[in-house]
């Protein structure tokens, strides 16, 4: 169903363009395994997926790409001139690794504009989701290092319990 999916996504991108709306496209290469499908985080395959996503529809001026961090992310960033948002990926219960990946990812190129994170904030192991969200905010908006972001964000740990 790959071609049918690409056609439908291209049509959706075009419809968004006609309405002046942004389209957020998540080009994820996958591998079929014995237990189902798994995201393929190899740099070359992500670059191929980015190239395909960058050509969907007749007008792509409002397309943003959502891409997980991978090894050699600077090559991925250079594969498209589209704005890119970093994805948080699968929840690991170890949010410091995600924060470190985001620090590296945000520095990979001028088209890396931010992050979309859900599971790694909500399901962050024993840590406080508010603390993790604040750390990611500091990385994205203030370009803080992982150590700076985690250190500053720890000040909000437990502050949201009353809500």
């Amino acid at each position: 169903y790959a071609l049918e999916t690409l056609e439908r996504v291209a049509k959706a991108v075009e419809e968004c363009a006609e309405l002046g709306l942004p389209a957020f496209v998540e080009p994820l290469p996958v591998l079929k395994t014995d237990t189902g499908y798994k995201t393929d985080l190899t740099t070359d395959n992500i670059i191929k997926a980015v190239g395909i996503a960058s050509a969907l529809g007749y007008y792509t001026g409002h397309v943003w790409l959502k891409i997980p961090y991978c090894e050699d992310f600077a090559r991925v960033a250079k594969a498209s001139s589209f704005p890119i948002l970093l994805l948080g990926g699968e929840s690991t219960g170890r949010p410091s690794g995600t924060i470190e990946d985001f620090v590296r990812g945000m520095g990979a190129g001028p088209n890396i504009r931010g992050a979309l994170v859900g599971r790694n904030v909500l399901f962050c192991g024993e840590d406080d989701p508010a603390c993790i969200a604040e750390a990611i905010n500091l990385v994205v908006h203030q370009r803080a290092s992982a150590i700076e972001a985690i250190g500053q964000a720890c000040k909000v740990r437990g502050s949201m319990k009353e809500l």
Side-chain angles (χ1 to χ4, degrees):
Y1 299 104
L3 290 177
E4 182 180 329
T5 300
L6 287 172
E7 286 178 16
R8 288 182 183 204
V9 172
K11 184 169 176 33
V13 166
E14 290 171 355
E15 289 173 357
C16 285
E18 289 170 4
L19 296 170
L21 297 173
F24 295 87
V25 179
E26 190 172 324
L28 293 178
V30 294
L31 297 170
K32 188 172 184 174
T33 67
D34 292 338
T35 58
Y37 290 93
K38 181 181 179 219
T39 305
D40 179 358
L41 294 178
T42 58
T43 304
D44 288 341
N45 288 339
I46 290 179
I47 288 171
K48 288 175 190 173
V50 164
I52 292 167
S54 296
L56 293 172
Y58 61 81
Y59 178 74
T60 55
H62 297 296
V63 174
W64 289 64
L65 299 178
K66 299 166 32 182
I67 304 171
Y69 180 79
C70 66
E71 197 172 305
D72 203 4
F73 197 70
R75 282 184 52 221
V76 174
K78 290 176 185 173
S80 177
S81 60
F82 289 8
I84 295 173
L85 299 171
L86 290 163
L87 290 179
E90 295 179 19
S91 179
T92 63
R94 189 182 155 268
S96 60
T98 302
I99 294 165
E100 291 166 355
D101 286 347
F102 282 2
V103 168
R104 289 187 291 272
M106 290 301 296
N111 55 334
I112 311 300
R113 303 292 175 84
L116 289 171
V117 192
R119 294 173 287 193
N120 280 291
V121 171
L122 296 174
F123 308 110
C124 56
E126 297 296 317
D127 214 327
D128 181 355
C131 179
I132 304 310
E134 179 62 15
I136 293 169
N137 171 59
L138 293 168
V139 167
V140 171
H141 295 288
Q142 295 183 15
R143 304 294 181 160
S145 71
I147 292 172
E148 292 168 337
I150 292 168
Q152 288 182 28
C154 286
K155 295 174 186 171
V156 302
R157 184 174 279 126
S159 66
M160 304 298 275
K161 286 184 180 178
E162 295 82 37
L163 299 177

